Amino acid sequence: MGILYLVPTPVGNMEDMTMRAVRILKEADIVLAEDTRTSGNLLRHFDIQTHMMSHHKFNEHGTSAGVVERLKAGQTIALVSDAGTPGISDPGFFLVREAVAAGIEVQTLPGATAFVPALVSSGLPCDRFCFEGFLPQKKGRKTRLEQLSEETRTMVFYESPYRLVKTLEQFAAIFGDDRQVCVCREISKIHEECVRGSLSEVVTHFKEKSPKGEIVIVLSGNIEKKVKLNKE
């Protein structure tokens, strides 16, 4: 049988690509790409000639069976997303599950993902955290936030710049204006920025300065509950 490799790709700076990732992409029989145009730019940059196939959230249920058959036949296949690590708020889980069920070896390379540098740079506790990714857009959103109001660990969210202010305002309404937050944008890019402060302060900042680029929100957990639990 072949091997399925999950290969992280840079979230910003091309220099974040590892030498091993370049080698695996060159040696693979096929590269599965979330967007072949985006990944095509990456492959050209590193002079990688491997054939690409489209594999994204809209077709993964239909293409995964064929990919598994290729792996069973002995092919080496590499999966990439547009940026970061496949499976983290990007396609990957379904194919991995099918490959594992078929007894195929799956290897994930360590490498770029947006939330780790945001979390570590936030100044908030990062020994324990929960990754929430993108919140539901409508149904279940308020319920999920209310559930998280009791969360004592640092929380990490992904968000669109167009919805950032609204999301921060929702956080303030449920978690309190004084809850500490760090909003990181354009990680590993020229205009990388981390804005830290209370929710009310950071809301004011982004109302005055419209956010651009990819956004990671790192939100403090419920400190009062954490202190109470520690005393108990």
Side-chain angles (χ1 to χ4, degrees):
M1 287 194 184
I3 300 175
L4 173 64
Y5 287 99
L6 276 67
V7 181
T9 55
V11 297
N13 194 319
M14 284 289 193
E15 292 178 3
D16 294 337
M17 190 74 169
T18 68
M19 291 185 287
R20 184 183 175 204
V22 172
R23 177 178 63 80
I24 293 296
L25 292 179
K26 285 184 175 181
E27 294 177 353
D29 295 297
I30 297 171
V31 173
L32 301 179
E34 183 180 6
D35 186 324
T36 54
R37 294 166 298 181
T38 300
S39 297
N41 292 331
L42 176 79
L43 267 58
R44 282 190 293 274
H45 182 85
F46 291 103
D47 193 28
I48 298 168
Q49 308 295 325
T50 310
H51 176 68
M52 285 188 294
M53 284 177 53
S54 179
H55 184 87
H56 47 74
K57 65 180 180 179
F58 300 110
N59 74 357
E60 62 180 341
H61 287 75
T63 60
S64 291
V67 172
V68 168
E69 289 304 312
R70 287 174 178 270
L71 289 161
K72 285 181 178 179
Q75 289 193 350
T76 297
I77 297 179
L79 173 66
V80 299
S81 58
D82 289 348
T85 299
I88 303 296
S89 293
D90 280 327
F93 161 70
F94 184 79
L95 177 58
V96 169
R97 185 182 68 182
E98 298 301 298
V100 169
I104 292 162
E105 182 178 355
V106 177
Q107 290 190 22
T108 301
L109 277 61
T113 189
F115 80 83
V116 173
L119 173 65
V120 176
S121 298
S122 69
L124 296 171
C126 53
D127 56 334
R128 298 286 188 277
F129 66 93
C130 62
F131 175 72
E132 290 293 319
F134 287 100
L135 286 164
Q137 285 301 301
K138 294 180 181 178
K139 187 177 181 180
R141 185 182 181 92
K142 185 179 179 185
T143 300
R144 184 61 188 145
L145 288 175
E146 288 172 346
Q147 291 170 342
L148 290 172
S149 66
E150 297 298 305
E151 176 60 65
T152 58
R153 296 170 295 177
T154 300
M155 294 166 276
V156 182
F157 304 87
Y158 285 164
E159 189 52 282
S160 158
Y162 308 108
R163 294 189 298 267
L164 176 62
V165 170
K166 182 178 179 180
T167 295
L168 293 175
E169 288 175 334
Q170 287 179 320
F171 285 3
I174 292 174
F175 303 122
D177 285 342
D178 58 348
R179 183 73 70 93
Q180 292 297 298
V181 68
C182 175
V183 174
C184 296
R185 65 180 194 87
E186 295 292 80
I187 290 171
S188 192
K189 297 178 183 176
I190 294 174
H191 301 293
E192 180 174 343
E193 177 185 41
C194 290
V195 179
R196 305 172 180 86
S198 67
L199 279 167
S200 60
E201 290 169 339
V202 176
V203 165
T204 299
H205 172 86
F206 284 111
K207 279 185 174 178
E208 295 174 352
K209 185 179 178 182
S210 182
K212 296 179 180 179
E214 300 295 321
I215 301 288
V216 182
I217 304 171
V218 184
L219 183 69
S220 173
N222 189 325
I223 301 300
E224 292 179 3
K225 183 176 179 181
K226 185 175 182 179
V227 170
K228 183 179 178 181
L229 290 173
N230 288 338
K231 287 181 178 179
E232 293 175 352

